[in-house]
Amino acid sequence: MVSRMFRMETGDDKDRRDLLRRRLRDTNTQASPILRALRGTPAERELPLHVWALEADGALAGGLVGHTWTTWLHVTYLWVDAPHRGAGLGGRLLAEAERLAHEERGCRNSRLETWDFQAPEFYKKHGYEVVCVIPDYPPGITEYTLTKPLPRGL
């Protein structure tokens, strides 16, 4: 093996980032028959999935932002305004996103991340199971990754 010297640089570089992403995608596609079969199909694209709860005057009471990819719903954000918490609105937003993902996009699973002070118990109550725990991320906080098969609980 030949040892080479490389110049290391830091800093944001959109062109290099995009090149790196393309090369990683190409490498992954070559290595995985599953990804190879997925390339060029509609399931390959991430599609946004947003659900909004609006008050009579149009004010935002809560919402869920996520996307679907292949057979997965990924919940990115779920938020309910303080006056509406505890009344089931979060569960309704989550259930509607799961329903849309399953019925309209063919999703079979859902995933999300949450911190210990946010809502791991809420998600467990709605059928999610913890599959990963990362303590001290960020320092002093624990992050959880949870998944749920769909349509369980719909």
Side-chain angles (χ1 to χ4, degrees):
M1 181 172 186
V2 176
S3 177
R4 296 186 178 164
M5 297 293 292
F6 295 96
R7 182 180 77 237
M8 299 289 192
E9 294 181 3
T10 61
D12 295 338
D13 185 321
K14 183 182 180 308
D15 292 334
R16 286 181 184 161
R17 181 204 64 204
D18 292 347
L19 176 61
L20 184 77
R21 184 176 179 181
R22 283 192 307 275
R23 288 184 177 174
L24 179 60
R25 177 190 157 112
D26 291 346
T27 300
N28 290 344
T29 300
Q30 288 177 342
S32 170
I34 293 169
L35 289 179
R36 245 188 331 276
L38 185 63
R39 298 298 183 224
T41 69
E44 178 184 27
R45 292 187 297 274
E46 286 184 7
L47 297 174
L49 194 151
H50 302 169
V51 181
W52 308 109
L54 304 175
E55 299 194 47
D57 64 0
L60 184 64
L64 181 147
V65 171
H67 67 270
T68 56
W69 179 69
T70 68
T71 60
W72 284 82
L73 165 64
H74 187 145
V75 176
T76 308
Y77 309 121
L78 174 58
W79 175 82
V80 173
D81 199 11
H84 306 293
R85 292 181 192 151
L89 182 56
R92 289 175 53 201
L93 288 163
L94 187 59
E96 179 63 3
E98 293 170 351
R99 184 192 69 74
L100 290 168
H102 178 68
E103 292 178 8
E104 296 182 9
R105 302 189 185 181
C107 290
R108 296 190 302 259
N109 298 285
S110 179
R111 66 165 288 176
L112 56 90
E113 296 84 27
T114 190
W115 284 321
D116 55 3
F117 66 88
Q118 288 177 320
E121 296 307 315
F122 166 83
Y123 292 114
K124 289 179 193 176
K125 184 176 110 178
H126 288 90
Y128 285 76
E129 296 179 14
V130 174
V131 295
C132 178
V133 177
I134 305 173
D136 221 27
Y137 181 76
I141 295 174
T142 299
E143 182 181 86
Y144 296 89
T145 300
L146 297 97
T147 64
K148 175 183 177 179
L150 301 177
R152 187 173 109 196
L154 292 180

